[in-house]
Amino acid sequence: MPEGDTVWRAARELHRALGGRVLTRCDIRVPRFATVDFTGETVQEAVARGKHLLIRGGGDDGWDIHSHLKMEGLWHVYGHGEKWRRPAFKARCVLGTEDAVVVGFELGFLRVIPRAEEDEAVGYLGPDLLGPDWDPDEALRRLLEQPERPIGLALLDQRNLAGIGNVYRCELCFLAGVHPLTPTAEVPNLPRMVQLSKKLLEANKERSTRATTGQLRGNTLWVYGRSRRGCLRCGTPVALEQLGDRETELRELYYCPHCQPRLDAQAEAALP
Ligand SMILES: [Zn+2]
C-alpha cells in the first residue's frame, strides 16, 4: 500500500535515473496526454510531495508529469533491454534516457501540467512529513481546525499533513492508544502523535518493509491487517470497520478495542 514513505523512495529512485538527463524516449499512455512528447528535453528532478510524485522537466517554465500511485501503482527503473517485471499493458508512462528506462505501472493518476500550475495541483497539501517544508506546528493547527472530526479521518486528510495512508493512520491511533473515532481535539497528546507520524515515516523511508513495532520481519505492525491474528500487544481480536468521509476515501480501519477504548466507554467505566 503506497504511503508517503513509498513515494519518497520512488521519487529518489526516479531522480537518480532522470535528474539532469535528456529524455530519449517519452511515451505517456494516458489518452488525454498520448500526444505529449518530451523527447530531447531535460528532466530537472523528481520530487515527492506527500503521496504525489512530480517529475519536473523542460526548464523553469517547463512542465511537470504529476502522478499518484493510489492503491496499485509503482515505478520501476530498468536498464536498456532489461525485462520488465510487470506486463507492458499496465504501463502508463515510459521515460527513457541514454542509460535507463523508467516505467510507471498502474498509476492511479497521471497527467501533464505546466510548471505554473504546480501550486494549484499540490499547493493544497498540508506540511509534508518527509518534505523540506515539514512544520509540525502548522500540521497541528490544521488538524485542530476541525476539532470534532475523528482523528482516524483527520490523519488521512492530506490537507492536514501529507504522507499518511491507511496503514499509518491505523498504527498511529494504536500507538497513541486512542480509538480512531475520538474527536481530534480530545486526543490526549496530539503534538506527540504528530511527532510520532514524522518519526515513523522517517524510520521507514529508506526500507521496503514498513514497520511500526521495531521488528523488520514477521510482526511488523500492531493492528493493521491483523483482524484474524489479533492485536500484537494483547491478543484481543482486532476490529475491522470501514471509515471515510467526504474528504477521504472509505478505507479499512483496524483497531484493538482493548488497547484503544472509546473515551466515552472509559468515562463510563470510571463511574462509581
Ligand atoms: Zn490490544
Side-chain angles (χ1 to χ4, degrees), residues 49-52 121-128 134 138-146 149 153-164 245-248:
R49 190 73 187 81
K51 295 193 281 177
H52 297 249
V122 292
Y124 71 94
L125 294 170
D128 183 351
W134 171 241
E138 175 62 12
L140 199 60
R141 192 190 64 75
R142 290 181 180 223
L143 283 166
L144 287 170
E145 270 179 357
Q146 290 174 279
R149 196 173 184 200
L153 291 175
L155 288 173
L156 213 45
D157 189 333
Q158 306 297 300
R159 296 173 309 173
N160 290 332
L161 64 182
I164 294 180
D245 63 7
R246 229 156 24 95
E247 283 79 25
T248 60

PDB file of all heavy atoms in Angstrom, residues 49-52 121-128 134 138-146 149 153-164 245-248:
ATOM      1  N   ARG A  49       5.754  14.934  -3.138  1.00  0.00           N
ATOM      2  CA  ARG A  49       5.040  15.954  -2.369  1.00  0.00           C
ATOM      3  C   ARG A  49       3.903  15.204  -1.693  1.00  0.00           C
ATOM      4  O   ARG A  49       2.901  14.893  -2.340  1.00  0.00           O
ATOM      5  CB  ARG A  49       4.547  17.027  -3.351  1.00  0.00           C
ATOM      6  CG  ARG A  49       3.989  18.263  -2.745  1.00  0.00           C
ATOM      7  CD  ARG A  49       5.049  19.168  -2.136  1.00  0.00           C
ATOM      8  NE  ARG A  49       4.393  20.276  -1.426  1.00  0.00           N
ATOM      9  CZ  ARG A  49       3.885  20.176  -0.205  1.00  0.00           C
ATOM     10  NH1 ARG A  49       3.992  19.047   0.483  1.00  0.00           N
ATOM     11  NH2 ARG A  49       3.280  21.209   0.361  1.00  0.00           N
ATOM     12  N   GLY A  50       4.103  14.825  -0.418  1.00  0.00           N
ATOM     13  CA  GLY A  50       3.149  13.921   0.217  1.00  0.00           C
ATOM     14  C   GLY A  50       3.124  12.630  -0.570  1.00  0.00           C
ATOM     15  O   GLY A  50       4.170  12.035  -0.842  1.00  0.00           O
ATOM     16  N   LYS A  51       1.946  12.209  -1.000  1.00  0.00           N
ATOM     17  CA  LYS A  51       1.849  10.974  -1.767  1.00  0.00           C
ATOM     18  C   LYS A  51       1.823  11.239  -3.276  1.00  0.00           C
ATOM     19  O   LYS A  51       1.572  10.344  -4.066  1.00  0.00           O
ATOM     20  CB  LYS A  51       0.618  10.183  -1.318  1.00  0.00           C
ATOM     21  CG  LYS A  51       0.756   9.716   0.138  1.00  0.00           C
ATOM     22  CD  LYS A  51      -0.274   8.675   0.515  1.00  0.00           C
ATOM     23  CE  LYS A  51      -1.601   9.309   0.813  1.00  0.00           C
ATOM     24  NZ  LYS A  51      -2.630   8.281   1.118  1.00  0.00           N
ATOM     25  N   HIS A  52       2.089  12.477  -3.650  1.00  0.00           N
ATOM     26  CA  HIS A  52       2.152  12.829  -5.068  1.00  0.00           C
ATOM     27  C   HIS A  52       3.601  12.820  -5.541  1.00  0.00           C
ATOM     28  O   HIS A  52       4.509  13.132  -4.778  1.00  0.00           O
ATOM     29  CB  HIS A  52       1.580  14.238  -5.310  1.00  0.00           C
ATOM     30  CG  HIS A  52       0.132  14.346  -4.963  1.00  0.00           C
ATOM     31  ND1 HIS A  52      -0.855  14.516  -5.894  1.00  0.00           N
ATOM     32  CD2 HIS A  52      -0.498  14.295  -3.765  1.00  0.00           C
ATOM     33  CE1 HIS A  52      -2.032  14.569  -5.295  1.00  0.00           C
ATOM     34  NE2 HIS A  52      -1.845  14.446  -3.998  1.00  0.00           N
ATOM     35  N   ALA A 121      -1.974  22.370  -8.289  1.00  0.00           N
ATOM     36  CA  ALA A 121      -2.112  20.913  -8.260  1.00  0.00           C
ATOM     37  C   ALA A 121      -1.825  20.323  -6.883  1.00  0.00           C
ATOM     38  O   ALA A 121      -2.526  19.423  -6.431  1.00  0.00           O
ATOM     39  CB  ALA A 121      -1.185  20.277  -9.295  1.00  0.00           C
ATOM     40  N   VAL A 122      -0.802  20.821  -6.204  1.00  0.00           N
ATOM     41  CA  VAL A 122      -0.419  20.210  -4.922  1.00  0.00           C
ATOM     42  C   VAL A 122      -0.315  21.220  -3.778  1.00  0.00           C
ATOM     43  O   VAL A 122       0.008  20.848  -2.653  1.00  0.00           O
ATOM     44  CB  VAL A 122       0.917  19.420  -5.038  1.00  0.00           C
ATOM     45  CG1 VAL A 122       0.754  18.188  -5.921  1.00  0.00           C
ATOM     46  CG2 VAL A 122       2.047  20.299  -5.556  1.00  0.00           C
ATOM     47  N   GLY A 123      -0.614  22.478  -4.072  1.00  0.00           N
ATOM     48  CA  GLY A 123      -0.462  23.526  -3.060  1.00  0.00           C
ATOM     49  C   GLY A 123      -1.423  23.395  -1.887  1.00  0.00           C
ATOM     50  O   GLY A 123      -1.192  23.961  -0.825  1.00  0.00           O
ATOM     51  N   TYR A 124      -2.503  22.646  -2.087  1.00  0.00           N
ATOM     52  CA  TYR A 124      -3.487  22.488  -1.024  1.00  0.00           C
ATOM     53  C   TYR A 124      -3.014  21.547   0.080  1.00  0.00           C
ATOM     54  O   TYR A 124      -3.573  21.494   1.167  1.00  0.00           O
ATOM     55  CB  TYR A 124      -4.808  21.957  -1.609  1.00  0.00           C
ATOM     56  CG  TYR A 124      -4.724  20.519  -2.048  1.00  0.00           C
ATOM     57  CD1 TYR A 124      -5.105  19.483  -1.176  1.00  0.00           C
ATOM     58  CD2 TYR A 124      -4.234  20.170  -3.301  1.00  0.00           C
ATOM     59  CE1 TYR A 124      -5.011  18.159  -1.570  1.00  0.00           C
ATOM     60  CE2 TYR A 124      -4.141  18.838  -3.694  1.00  0.00           C
ATOM     61  CZ  TYR A 124      -4.526  17.849  -2.832  1.00  0.00           C
ATOM     62  OH  TYR A 124      -4.406  16.539  -3.214  1.00  0.00           O
ATOM     63  N   LEU A 125      -1.951  20.769  -0.229  1.00  0.00           N
ATOM     64  CA  LEU A 125      -1.487  19.760   0.724  1.00  0.00           C
ATOM     65  C   LEU A 125      -0.939  20.411   1.992  1.00  0.00           C
ATOM     66  O   LEU A 125      -0.332  21.471   1.950  1.00  0.00           O
ATOM     67  CB  LEU A 125      -0.386  18.903   0.096  1.00  0.00           C
ATOM     68  CG  LEU A 125      -0.798  18.013  -1.079  1.00  0.00           C
ATOM     69  CD1 LEU A 125       0.434  17.426  -1.753  1.00  0.00           C
ATOM     70  CD2 LEU A 125      -1.730  16.903  -0.605  1.00  0.00           C
ATOM     71  N   GLY A 126      -1.140  19.741   3.086  1.00  0.00           N
ATOM     72  CA  GLY A 126      -0.580  20.200   4.352  1.00  0.00           C
ATOM     73  C   GLY A 126       0.920  19.955   4.382  1.00  0.00           C
ATOM     74  O   GLY A 126       1.487  19.424   3.422  1.00  0.00           O
ATOM     75  N   PRO A 127       1.574  20.328   5.490  1.00  0.00           N
ATOM     76  CA  PRO A 127       3.024  20.103   5.610  1.00  0.00           C
ATOM     77  C   PRO A 127       3.370  18.654   5.284  1.00  0.00           C
ATOM     78  O   PRO A 127       2.696  17.733   5.744  1.00  0.00           O
ATOM     79  CB  PRO A 127       3.309  20.421   7.070  1.00  0.00           C
ATOM     80  CG  PRO A 127       2.207  21.325   7.497  1.00  0.00           C
ATOM     81  CD  PRO A 127       0.997  20.935   6.689  1.00  0.00           C
ATOM     82  N   ASP A 128       4.410  18.500   4.504  1.00  0.00           N
ATOM     83  CA  ASP A 128       4.819  17.190   4.005  1.00  0.00           C
ATOM     84  C   ASP A 128       5.733  16.526   5.033  1.00  0.00           C
ATOM     85  O   ASP A 128       6.819  17.035   5.328  1.00  0.00           O
ATOM     86  CB  ASP A 128       5.558  17.425   2.675  1.00  0.00           C
ATOM     87  CG  ASP A 128       5.970  16.132   2.009  1.00  0.00           C
ATOM     88  OD1 ASP A 128       5.851  15.062   2.630  1.00  0.00           O
ATOM     89  OD2 ASP A 128       6.426  16.232   0.852  1.00  0.00           O
ATOM     90  N   TRP A 134       8.472  20.512   6.159  1.00  0.00           N
ATOM     91  CA  TRP A 134       7.766  19.918   7.310  1.00  0.00           C
ATOM     92  C   TRP A 134       7.665  20.901   8.468  1.00  0.00           C
ATOM     93  O   TRP A 134       8.658  21.500   8.887  1.00  0.00           O
ATOM     94  CB  TRP A 134       8.459  18.639   7.771  1.00  0.00           C
ATOM     95  CG  TRP A 134       7.911  18.118   9.072  1.00  0.00           C
ATOM     96  CD1 TRP A 134       8.587  17.948  10.242  1.00  0.00           C
ATOM     97  CD2 TRP A 134       6.544  17.730   9.334  1.00  0.00           C
ATOM     98  NE1 TRP A 134       7.741  17.470  11.209  1.00  0.00           N
ATOM     99  CE2 TRP A 134       6.483  17.339  10.691  1.00  0.00           C
ATOM    100  CE3 TRP A 134       5.375  17.697   8.565  1.00  0.00           C
ATOM    101  CZ2 TRP A 134       5.303  16.907  11.288  1.00  0.00           C
ATOM    102  CZ3 TRP A 134       4.188  17.266   9.158  1.00  0.00           C
ATOM    103  CH2 TRP A 134       4.163  16.877  10.507  1.00  0.00           C
ATOM    104  N   GLU A 138       2.264  23.767  12.150  1.00  0.00           N
ATOM    105  CA  GLU A 138       1.249  24.020  11.132  1.00  0.00           C
ATOM    106  C   GLU A 138       0.349  22.786  10.959  1.00  0.00           C
ATOM    107  O   GLU A 138      -0.868  22.912  10.802  1.00  0.00           O
ATOM    108  CB  GLU A 138       1.935  24.400   9.804  1.00  0.00           C
ATOM    109  CG  GLU A 138       0.997  24.581   8.616  1.00  0.00           C
ATOM    110  CD  GLU A 138      -0.031  25.705   8.785  1.00  0.00           C
ATOM    111  OE1 GLU A 138       0.110  26.507   9.735  1.00  0.00           O
ATOM    112  OE2 GLU A 138      -0.984  25.743   7.982  1.00  0.00           O
ATOM    113  N   ALA A 139       0.943  21.605  11.013  1.00  0.00           N
ATOM    114  CA  ALA A 139       0.144  20.376  10.896  1.00  0.00           C
ATOM    115  C   ALA A 139      -0.863  20.307  12.052  1.00  0.00           C
ATOM    116  O   ALA A 139      -2.043  20.010  11.850  1.00  0.00           O
ATOM    117  CB  ALA A 139       1.057  19.155  10.906  1.00  0.00           C
ATOM    118  N   LEU A 140      -0.392  20.631  13.231  1.00  0.00           N
ATOM    119  CA  LEU A 140      -1.243  20.615  14.422  1.00  0.00           C
ATOM    120  C   LEU A 140      -2.379  21.635  14.294  1.00  0.00           C
ATOM    121  O   LEU A 140      -3.543  21.348  14.585  1.00  0.00           O
ATOM    122  CB  LEU A 140      -0.366  20.958  15.626  1.00  0.00           C
ATOM    123  CG  LEU A 140      -0.873  20.579  16.999  1.00  0.00           C
ATOM    124  CD1 LEU A 140      -1.089  19.078  17.094  1.00  0.00           C
ATOM    125  CD2 LEU A 140       0.143  21.020  18.051  1.00  0.00           C
ATOM    126  N   ARG A 141      -2.018  22.810  13.801  1.00  0.00           N
ATOM    127  CA  ARG A 141      -3.021  23.861  13.632  1.00  0.00           C
ATOM    128  C   ARG A 141      -4.114  23.394  12.657  1.00  0.00           C
ATOM    129  O   ARG A 141      -5.305  23.559  12.899  1.00  0.00           O
ATOM    130  CB  ARG A 141      -2.353  25.127  13.095  1.00  0.00           C
ATOM    131  CG  ARG A 141      -3.222  26.365  13.136  1.00  0.00           C
ATOM    132  CD  ARG A 141      -2.603  27.526  12.365  1.00  0.00           C
ATOM    133  NE  ARG A 141      -2.480  27.271  10.936  1.00  0.00           N
ATOM    134  CZ  ARG A 141      -3.502  27.296  10.071  1.00  0.00           C
ATOM    135  NH1 ARG A 141      -4.713  27.583  10.492  1.00  0.00           N
ATOM    136  NH2 ARG A 141      -3.309  27.051   8.795  1.00  0.00           N
ATOM    137  N   ARG A 142      -3.674  22.776  11.569  1.00  0.00           N
ATOM    138  CA  ARG A 142      -4.650  22.313  10.572  1.00  0.00           C
ATOM    139  C   ARG A 142      -5.526  21.194  11.127  1.00  0.00           C
ATOM    140  O   ARG A 142      -6.729  21.165  10.894  1.00  0.00           O
ATOM    141  CB  ARG A 142      -3.926  21.839   9.308  1.00  0.00           C
ATOM    142  CG  ARG A 142      -3.308  22.991   8.531  1.00  0.00           C
ATOM    143  CD  ARG A 142      -2.627  22.487   7.271  1.00  0.00           C
ATOM    144  NE  ARG A 142      -2.032  23.571   6.517  1.00  0.00           N
ATOM    145  CZ  ARG A 142      -2.103  23.687   5.176  1.00  0.00           C
ATOM    146  NH1 ARG A 142      -2.741  22.779   4.476  1.00  0.00           N
ATOM    147  NH2 ARG A 142      -1.532  24.694   4.564  1.00  0.00           N
ATOM    148  N   LEU A 143      -4.903  20.275  11.869  1.00  0.00           N
ATOM    149  CA  LEU A 143      -5.684  19.177  12.454  1.00  0.00           C
ATOM    150  C   LEU A 143      -6.774  19.721  13.377  1.00  0.00           C
ATOM    151  O   LEU A 143      -7.900  19.245  13.377  1.00  0.00           O
ATOM    152  CB  LEU A 143      -4.763  18.239  13.248  1.00  0.00           C
ATOM    153  CG  LEU A 143      -3.905  17.274  12.437  1.00  0.00           C
ATOM    154  CD1 LEU A 143      -2.816  16.658  13.308  1.00  0.00           C
ATOM    155  CD2 LEU A 143      -4.755  16.165  11.807  1.00  0.00           C
ATOM    156  N   LEU A 144      -6.419  20.758  14.127  1.00  0.00           N
ATOM    157  CA  LEU A 144      -7.357  21.270  15.127  1.00  0.00           C
ATOM    158  C   LEU A 144      -8.391  22.239  14.558  1.00  0.00           C
ATOM    159  O   LEU A 144      -9.274  22.692  15.268  1.00  0.00           O
ATOM    160  CB  LEU A 144      -6.579  21.932  16.278  1.00  0.00           C
ATOM    161  CG  LEU A 144      -5.872  20.909  17.172  1.00  0.00           C
ATOM    162  CD1 LEU A 144      -4.916  21.598  18.139  1.00  0.00           C
ATOM    163  CD2 LEU A 144      -6.885  20.056  17.936  1.00  0.00           C
ATOM    164  N   GLU A 145      -8.267  22.525  13.251  1.00  0.00           N
ATOM    165  CA  GLU A 145      -9.295  23.363  12.627  1.00  0.00           C
ATOM    166  C   GLU A 145     -10.648  22.671  12.627  1.00  0.00           C
ATOM    167  O   GLU A 145     -11.677  23.315  12.556  1.00  0.00           O
ATOM    168  CB  GLU A 145      -8.896  23.703  11.179  1.00  0.00           C
ATOM    169  CG  GLU A 145      -8.086  24.969  11.086  1.00  0.00           C
ATOM    170  CD  GLU A 145      -7.662  25.284   9.656  1.00  0.00           C
ATOM    171  OE1 GLU A 145      -7.948  24.475   8.743  1.00  0.00           O
ATOM    172  OE2 GLU A 145      -7.056  26.339   9.462  1.00  0.00           O
ATOM    173  N   GLN A 146     -10.635  21.345  12.685  1.00  0.00           N
ATOM    174  CA  GLN A 146     -11.893  20.598  12.773  1.00  0.00           C
ATOM    175  C   GLN A 146     -11.835  19.725  14.022  1.00  0.00           C
ATOM    176  O   GLN A 146     -11.581  18.518  13.941  1.00  0.00           O
ATOM    177  CB  GLN A 146     -12.091  19.735  11.526  1.00  0.00           C
ATOM    178  CG  GLN A 146     -12.378  20.555  10.278  1.00  0.00           C
ATOM    179  CD  GLN A 146     -12.422  19.671   9.046  1.00  0.00           C
ATOM    180  OE1 GLN A 146     -11.396  19.317   8.491  1.00  0.00           O
ATOM    181  NE2 GLN A 146     -13.614  19.290   8.635  1.00  0.00           N
ATOM    182  N   ARG A 149     -13.728  16.359  14.318  1.00  0.00           N
ATOM    183  CA  ARG A 149     -13.536  15.305  13.320  1.00  0.00           C
ATOM    184  C   ARG A 149     -12.764  14.131  13.926  1.00  0.00           C
ATOM    185  O   ARG A 149     -11.776  14.329  14.627  1.00  0.00           O
ATOM    186  CB  ARG A 149     -12.743  15.876  12.158  1.00  0.00           C
ATOM    187  CG  ARG A 149     -12.808  15.027  10.909  1.00  0.00           C
ATOM    188  CD  ARG A 149     -12.136  15.771   9.804  1.00  0.00           C
ATOM    189  NE  ARG A 149     -12.240  15.055   8.556  1.00  0.00           N
ATOM    190  CZ  ARG A 149     -11.454  15.266   7.525  1.00  0.00           C
ATOM    191  NH1 ARG A 149     -10.510  16.190   7.609  1.00  0.00           N
ATOM    192  NH2 ARG A 149     -11.602  14.592   6.427  1.00  0.00           N
ATOM    193  N   LEU A 153      -9.854   9.977  10.686  1.00  0.00           N
ATOM    194  CA  LEU A 153     -10.075  10.612   9.385  1.00  0.00           C
ATOM    195  C   LEU A 153      -9.143  11.799   9.198  1.00  0.00           C
ATOM    196  O   LEU A 153      -8.602  12.013   8.110  1.00  0.00           O
ATOM    197  CB  LEU A 153     -11.525  11.099   9.272  1.00  0.00           C
ATOM    198  CG  LEU A 153     -12.575   9.994   9.176  1.00  0.00           C
ATOM    199  CD1 LEU A 153     -13.968  10.589   9.200  1.00  0.00           C
ATOM    200  CD2 LEU A 153     -12.365   9.182   7.913  1.00  0.00           C
ATOM    201  N   ALA A 154      -8.953  12.562  10.261  1.00  0.00           N
ATOM    202  CA  ALA A 154      -8.118  13.765  10.171  1.00  0.00           C
ATOM    203  C   ALA A 154      -6.693  13.424   9.732  1.00  0.00           C
ATOM    204  O   ALA A 154      -6.070  14.158   8.965  1.00  0.00           O
ATOM    205  CB  ALA A 154      -8.112  14.489  11.515  1.00  0.00           C
ATOM    206  N   LEU A 155      -6.184  12.283  10.221  1.00  0.00           N
ATOM    207  CA  LEU A 155      -4.810  11.890   9.880  1.00  0.00           C
ATOM    208  C   LEU A 155      -4.665  11.540   8.400  1.00  0.00           C
ATOM    209  O   LEU A 155      -3.600  11.671   7.817  1.00  0.00           O
ATOM    210  CB  LEU A 155      -4.383  10.672  10.704  1.00  0.00           C
ATOM    211  CG  LEU A 155      -4.106  10.891  12.179  1.00  0.00           C
ATOM    212  CD1 LEU A 155      -3.858   9.539  12.844  1.00  0.00           C
ATOM    213  CD2 LEU A 155      -2.901  11.804  12.392  1.00  0.00           C
ATOM    214  N   LEU A 156      -5.760  11.069   7.819  1.00  0.00           N
ATOM    215  CA  LEU A 156      -5.731  10.603   6.435  1.00  0.00           C
ATOM    216  C   LEU A 156      -5.930  11.761   5.454  1.00  0.00           C
ATOM    217  O   LEU A 156      -5.652  11.622   4.274  1.00  0.00           O
ATOM    218  CB  LEU A 156      -6.857   9.574   6.258  1.00  0.00           C
ATOM    219  CG  LEU A 156      -6.696   8.416   5.312  1.00  0.00           C
ATOM    220  CD1 LEU A 156      -5.354   7.744   5.453  1.00  0.00           C
ATOM    221  CD2 LEU A 156      -7.819   7.408   5.553  1.00  0.00           C
ATOM    222  N   ASP A 157      -6.414  12.883   5.967  1.00  0.00           N
ATOM    223  CA  ASP A 157      -6.714  14.021   5.095  1.00  0.00           C
ATOM    224  C   ASP A 157      -5.405  14.754   4.767  1.00  0.00           C
ATOM    225  O   ASP A 157      -4.789  15.370   5.633  1.00  0.00           O
ATOM    226  CB  ASP A 157      -7.693  14.961   5.802  1.00  0.00           C
ATOM    227  CG  ASP A 157      -8.207  16.044   4.872  1.00  0.00           C
ATOM    228  OD1 ASP A 157      -7.494  16.401   3.896  1.00  0.00           O
ATOM    229  OD2 ASP A 157      -9.307  16.555   5.129  1.00  0.00           O
ATOM    230  N   GLN A 158      -5.013  14.689   3.507  1.00  0.00           N
ATOM    231  CA  GLN A 158      -3.704  15.209   3.097  1.00  0.00           C
ATOM    232  C   GLN A 158      -3.601  16.727   3.222  1.00  0.00           C
ATOM    233  O   GLN A 158      -2.520  17.288   3.125  1.00  0.00           O
ATOM    234  CB  GLN A 158      -3.371  14.764   1.673  1.00  0.00           C
ATOM    235  CG  GLN A 158      -3.459  13.250   1.472  1.00  0.00           C
ATOM    236  CD  GLN A 158      -2.455  12.481   2.319  1.00  0.00           C
ATOM    237  OE1 GLN A 158      -1.253  12.671   2.203  1.00  0.00           O
ATOM    238  NE2 GLN A 158      -2.940  11.614   3.207  1.00  0.00           N
ATOM    239  N   ARG A 159      -4.731  17.405   3.430  1.00  0.00           N
ATOM    240  CA  ARG A 159      -4.681  18.861   3.637  1.00  0.00           C
ATOM    241  C   ARG A 159      -4.187  19.196   5.036  1.00  0.00           C
ATOM    242  O   ARG A 159      -3.796  20.317   5.319  1.00  0.00           O
ATOM    243  CB  ARG A 159      -6.071  19.471   3.429  1.00  0.00           C
ATOM    244  CG  ARG A 159      -6.575  19.308   1.997  1.00  0.00           C
ATOM    245  CD  ARG A 159      -7.991  19.767   1.890  1.00  0.00           C
ATOM    246  NE  ARG A 159      -8.804  19.130   2.938  1.00  0.00           N
ATOM    247  CZ  ARG A 159     -10.068  19.432   3.181  1.00  0.00           C
ATOM    248  NH1 ARG A 159     -10.673  20.359   2.481  1.00  0.00           N
ATOM    249  NH2 ARG A 159     -10.727  18.801   4.134  1.00  0.00           N
ATOM    250  N   ASN A 160      -4.240  18.233   5.952  1.00  0.00           N
ATOM    251  CA  ASN A 160      -3.755  18.460   7.309  1.00  0.00           C
ATOM    252  C   ASN A 160      -2.256  18.228   7.405  1.00  0.00           C
ATOM    253  O   ASN A 160      -1.498  19.084   7.851  1.00  0.00           O
ATOM    254  CB  ASN A 160      -4.477  17.551   8.294  1.00  0.00           C
ATOM    255  CG  ASN A 160      -5.923  17.959   8.478  1.00  0.00           C
ATOM    256  OD1 ASN A 160      -6.255  19.138   8.319  1.00  0.00           O
ATOM    257  ND2 ASN A 160      -6.779  17.017   8.798  1.00  0.00           N
ATOM    258  N   LEU A 161      -1.860  17.025   7.021  1.00  0.00           N
ATOM    259  CA  LEU A 161      -0.440  16.718   6.905  1.00  0.00           C
ATOM    260  C   LEU A 161      -0.334  15.691   5.798  1.00  0.00           C
ATOM    261  O   LEU A 161      -1.228  14.865   5.640  1.00  0.00           O
ATOM    262  CB  LEU A 161       0.201  16.278   8.228  1.00  0.00           C
ATOM    263  CG  LEU A 161      -0.171  15.031   8.975  1.00  0.00           C
ATOM    264  CD1 LEU A 161       0.639  14.944  10.267  1.00  0.00           C
ATOM    265  CD2 LEU A 161      -1.627  14.929   9.319  1.00  0.00           C
ATOM    266  N   ALA A 162       0.707  15.778   5.005  1.00  0.00           N
ATOM    267  CA  ALA A 162       0.762  14.988   3.772  1.00  0.00           C
ATOM    268  C   ALA A 162       1.701  13.809   3.926  1.00  0.00           C
ATOM    269  O   ALA A 162       2.852  13.980   4.353  1.00  0.00           O
ATOM    270  CB  ALA A 162       1.201  15.869   2.599  1.00  0.00           C
ATOM    271  N   GLY A 163       1.201  12.630   3.602  1.00  0.00           N
ATOM    272  CA  GLY A 163       2.065  11.442   3.601  1.00  0.00           C
ATOM    273  C   GLY A 163       1.492  10.237   4.321  1.00  0.00           C
ATOM    274  O   GLY A 163       1.968   9.129   4.132  1.00  0.00           O
ATOM    275  N   ILE A 164       0.468  10.450   5.148  1.00  0.00           N
ATOM    276  CA  ILE A 164      -0.089   9.330   5.906  1.00  0.00           C
ATOM    277  C   ILE A 164      -1.150   8.618   5.073  1.00  0.00           C
ATOM    278  O   ILE A 164      -2.054   9.251   4.547  1.00  0.00           O
ATOM    279  CB  ILE A 164      -0.719   9.820   7.230  1.00  0.00           C
ATOM    280  CG1 ILE A 164       0.381  10.372   8.136  1.00  0.00           C
ATOM    281  CG2 ILE A 164      -1.482   8.692   7.922  1.00  0.00           C
ATOM    282  CD1 ILE A 164      -0.137  10.878   9.464  1.00  0.00           C
ATOM    283  N   ASP A 245     -14.845   9.770   4.801  1.00  0.00           N
ATOM    284  CA  ASP A 245     -15.845  10.838   4.759  1.00  0.00           C
ATOM    285  C   ASP A 245     -15.704  11.554   3.421  1.00  0.00           C
ATOM    286  O   ASP A 245     -15.078  11.034   2.499  1.00  0.00           O
ATOM    287  CB  ASP A 245     -15.724  11.798   5.954  1.00  0.00           C
ATOM    288  CG  ASP A 245     -14.406  12.548   5.979  1.00  0.00           C
ATOM    289  OD1 ASP A 245     -13.621  12.453   5.012  1.00  0.00           O
ATOM    290  OD2 ASP A 245     -14.138  13.238   6.973  1.00  0.00           O
ATOM    291  N   ARG A 246     -16.257  12.719   3.312  1.00  0.00           N
ATOM    292  CA  ARG A 246     -16.261  13.414   2.039  1.00  0.00           C
ATOM    293  C   ARG A 246     -14.835  13.689   1.519  1.00  0.00           C
ATOM    294  O   ARG A 246     -14.575  13.612   0.338  1.00  0.00           O
ATOM    295  CB  ARG A 246     -17.009  14.752   2.189  1.00  0.00           C
ATOM    296  CG  ARG A 246     -18.050  15.002   1.141  1.00  0.00           C
ATOM    297  CD  ARG A 246     -19.143  15.971   1.609  1.00  0.00           C
ATOM    298  NE  ARG A 246     -18.742  16.868   2.665  1.00  0.00           N
ATOM    299  CZ  ARG A 246     -18.295  18.106   2.459  1.00  0.00           C
ATOM    300  NH1 ARG A 246     -18.176  18.583   1.260  1.00  0.00           N
ATOM    301  NH2 ARG A 246     -17.973  18.874   3.489  1.00  0.00           N
ATOM    302  N   GLU A 247     -13.915  13.978   2.419  1.00  0.00           N
ATOM    303  CA  GLU A 247     -12.546  14.326   2.006  1.00  0.00           C
ATOM    304  C   GLU A 247     -11.626  13.120   1.894  1.00  0.00           C
ATOM    305  O   GLU A 247     -10.573  13.199   1.287  1.00  0.00           O
ATOM    306  CB  GLU A 247     -11.921  15.327   2.991  1.00  0.00           C
ATOM    307  CG  GLU A 247     -12.405  16.757   2.826  1.00  0.00           C
ATOM    308  CD  GLU A 247     -13.758  16.970   3.468  1.00  0.00           C
ATOM    309  OE1 GLU A 247     -14.096  16.212   4.403  1.00  0.00           O
ATOM    310  OE2 GLU A 247     -14.500  17.869   3.022  1.00  0.00           O
ATOM    311  N   THR A 248     -12.007  12.037   2.532  1.00  0.00           N
ATOM    312  CA  THR A 248     -11.134  10.863   2.496  1.00  0.00           C
ATOM    313  C   THR A 248     -11.939   9.680   1.969  1.00  0.00           C
ATOM    314  O   THR A 248     -13.144   9.605   2.179  1.00  0.00           O
ATOM    315  CB  THR A 248     -10.618  10.518   3.910  1.00  0.00           C
ATOM    316  OG1 THR A 248     -11.747  10.251   4.735  1.00  0.00           O
ATOM    317  CG2 THR A 248      -9.808  11.645   4.517  1.00  0.00           C
TER     318      THR A 248
END
